[in-house]
Amino acid sequence: MTYDVPVAPGESGDIETTTNSGGDVWPMWEVFVRARRGISHVHIGSLHASDPEAALQNARDVYTRRGEGVSVWVVRSADVHSFEPEDAVDYIDANEKVYRLATTYEIPDEVGQM
Amino acid sequence: MTPEERFDAVVAAEDKIEPTDWMPEGYRKTLIRQIAQHAHSEIIGMQPEGNWITRAPTLHRKAILMAKVQDEAGHGLYLYAAAETLGVKRDQLQELLHQGKHKYSSIFNYPTLSWSDMGAIGWLVDGAAITNQVMLTRCSYGPYARAMVRICKEESFHQRQGYELLIRLCQGTPEQKAMAQDSLNRWWWPALMMFGPPDSESTHTEQSMTWKIKRVTNDDLRQQFVDMTVPQAEYLGLEIPDPELTWNEGRGHYDFGPIDWEEFWAVVKGNGPMNRERIEHKLKAWEDGAWVREAAAAHAIKKTARSAA
């Protein structure tokens, strides 16, 4: 629960960072929770666990202690594939394709609600 | 747009920085240090309260205390996970804590001497934590801000159960009320120190404010906390141990006496009443648990091999 601890003698700010996903005794998992029936699972956080059963058990203990969900998914973080936001610009440039938006079509008032 | 210009634009627009975005090295380092320190504080923070679980006066209070300590473990977990998105390993952070190269909040280097300390910690320590953490829900780094939203919800339970515990004691026997007053006397000043050194001496504040990691300065948060807490102490009928505490009509805030920064620095440097014991206990739990971590990992490998065969 806290924060502003000033730099103390003996404290070392140096730490090696890496983008490689190995290195811990237990692999990392992403946790998705369905808050109630009728809506999708939503990413809620991550945790470390040795296998899928342990990951589900930990997810239940850590993320659903106060009735947060009716269903839990766990996915090994290493199995999540993504693309970078910079790349996304090439794929989805809505500004150049306004004809995809319903609001760009003019429907006369006489026609009524459409 | 260069990556740096993009970063500056996202921060300026009150948007969030996410793990795969480019970020200045200093931003990454500051966040790793701050989030790790925050996570370590949650984990070490289980000890002062764990000390009273077996001695809780009723089963109800015992269940509350266990739930609270379990929450602290969860908070540590969310925060380590947020730090991990910046490219560090949880095991690496554990090692730095064990070696004393990483710090945790000094408040946990004070002992819990009586049952009413469980009330004082919830009310004051978690109350100070909430003041800081509500600010951090607006932090520019997405994973940290999201972890804070979850933590703040749970922290509210921590503060309220503590205050309610003190209400019961203050409405109880004179001995119970005196015990509550003694707890307030011991925890008040260390709670004010939780916000860190005064702005005039806080070296990190300015850069952290520019990066929108921090949104409010140490002194402003401290003032917020004092203003919020004084009426709560009055309701309990307890006296805050500060003869200089007075309402300042002109400022619209409470004035309060000087903080003993010498004591603060002594505790930060490792000379608080419980520094050594906290780390020894943490290290012992880590070492005693090694076989469980290794056995579970070995079991997972065996099971995978068996299902592949």
Side-chain angles (χ1 to χ4, degrees):
Chain A
M1 11 106 328
T2 16
Y3 1 68
D4 200 336
V5 184
V7 181
E11 182 181 351
S12 158
D14 294 336
I15 185 164
E16 218 175 291
T17 57
T18 168
T19 50
N20 142 16
S21 61
D24 278 301
V25 179
W26 291 349
M28 181 106 134
W29 303 75
E30 300 305 323
V31 182
F32 300 81
V33 171
R34 185 200 291 285
R36 55 178 194 280
R37 289 175 176 278
I39 62 171
S40 307
H41 287 73
V42 173
H43 184 243
I44 192 166
S46 337
L47 50 79
H48 286 276
S50 54
D51 60 23
E53 287 77 17
L56 279 170
Q57 182 91 42
N58 290 355
R60 202 194 66 188
D61 286 349
V62 177
Y63 291 107
T64 62
R65 285 204 301 280
R66 291 183 171 84
E68 286 95 332
V70 294
S71 166
V72 178
W73 288 348
V74 290
V75 179
R76 222 182 249 265
S77 308
D79 290 336
V80 175
H81 302 271
S82 64
F83 65 120
E84 301 304 308
E86 278 87 345
D87 300 338
V89 175
D90 298 336
Y91 289 98
I92 311 155
D93 193 347
N95 294 331
E96 284 179 11
K97 295 175 180 172
V98 289
Y99 52 82
R100 287 178 168 176
L101 304 174
T103 50
T104 54
Y105 300 91
E106 252 176 61
I107 305 294
D109 288 346
E110 301 93 281
V111 180
Q113 190 66 34
M114 184 178 280
Chain B
M1 207 188 259
T2 67
E4 188 162 7
E5 284 164 355
R6 186 170 178 277
F7 171 89
D8 290 342
V10 168
V11 171
E14 292 289 327
D15 229 335
K16 300 293 179 198
I17 299 297
E18 293 296 341
T20 51
D21 291 338
W22 181 91
M23 60 188 85
E25 256 332 279
Y27 180 82
R28 185 184 298 275
K29 274 196 173 155
T30 301
L31 276 170
I32 291 172
R33 178 178 178 275
Q34 185 176 330
I35 300 173
Q37 205 161 78
H38 199 155
H40 299 327
S41 301
E42 298 283 357
I43 297 301
I44 297 292
M46 292 194 283
Q47 292 184 39
E49 290 174 306
N51 182 33
W52 279 90
I53 289 176
T54 56
R55 291 176 289 168
T58 65
L59 198 54
H60 177 59
R61 288 290 170 195
K62 187 173 185 165
I64 293 171
L65 198 52
M66 284 196 292
K68 183 173 189 294
V69 172
Q70 190 189 14
D71 278 352
E72 313 291 4
H75 296 176
L77 186 150
Y78 311 152
L79 286 160
Y80 283 127
E84 284 174 280
T85 64
L86 292 158
V88 291
K89 302 289 173 198
R90 190 167 72 182
D91 290 354
Q92 239 180 324
L93 299 176
Q94 294 298 295
E95 207 173 278
L96 289 166
L97 173 64
H98 297 157
Q99 293 168 345
K101 289 182 181 164
H102 265 190
K103 299 289 170 187
Y104 52 88
S105 175
S106 282
I107 194 83
F108 302 116
N109 289 320
Y110 291 88
T112 42
L113 303 177
S114 67
W115 169 250
S116 57
D117 283 2
M118 298 304 98
I121 287 182
W123 172 38
L124 300 173
V125 177
D126 293 306
I130 292 171
T131 309
N132 187 64
Q133 291 173 156
V134 165
M135 163 194 80
L136 289 172
T137 61
R138 295 190 294 123
C139 162
S140 61
Y141 188 58
Y144 194 26
R146 289 193 285 276
M148 282 305 118
V149 173
R150 280 192 69 79
I151 289 177
C152 282
K153 276 188 205 156
E154 300 182 347
E155 209 81 70
S156 174
F157 145 59
H158 297 178
Q159 190 186 22
R160 291 171 68 115
Q161 67 78 35
Y163 191 69
E164 195 230 34
L165 190 162
L166 290 174
I167 291 177
R168 296 295 170 88
L169 289 177
C170 290
Q171 292 172 350
T173 64
E175 288 81 3
Q176 286 174 317
K177 190 166 183 186
M179 179 165 66
Q181 180 65 57
D182 174 64
S183 290
L184 174 56
N185 293 349
R186 283 181 290 109
W187 291 96
W188 175 253
W189 292 107
L192 295 194
M193 293 176 196
M194 283 174 67
F195 297 96
D199 295 348
S200 54
E201 287 165 37
S202 180
T203 44
H204 303 299
T205 296
E206 205 181 322
Q207 180 63 74
S208 282
M209 299 273 285
T210 314
W211 279 331
K212 296 186 181 169
I213 293 175
K214 244 177 117 90
R215 314 301 305 256
V216 183
T217 70
N218 297 355
D219 285 336
D220 287 350
L221 285 171
R222 193 166 10 245
Q223 183 72 60
Q224 247 180 51
F225 175 73
V226 171
D227 291 348
M228 185 178 75
T229 310
V230 173
Q232 296 167 353
E234 280 167 6
Y235 179 84
L236 292 172
L238 296 179
E239 198 180 326
I240 288 178
D242 178 359
E244 292 179 45
L245 187 79
T246 42
W247 175 251
N248 183 324
E249 194 67 53
R251 288 202 310 130
H253 293 291
Y254 283 94
D255 290 336
F256 52 96
I259 292 171
D260 182 357
W261 292 111
E262 255 173 62
E263 173 184 322
F264 173 78
W265 284 109
V267 181
V268 169
K269 286 174 184 158
N271 300 319
M274 302 296 282
N275 294 56
R276 199 191 302 176
E277 197 174 324
R278 297 288 186 238
I279 287 298
E280 270 172 13
H281 186 85
K282 172 71 179 73
L283 196 56
K284 184 176 183 301
W286 177 256
E287 282 167 357
D288 289 352
W291 73 271
V292 179
R293 293 191 296 276
E294 286 158 18
H299 176 68
I301 291 169
K302 216 162 108 182
K303 231 172 34 177
T304 312
R306 209 179 290 148
S307 65

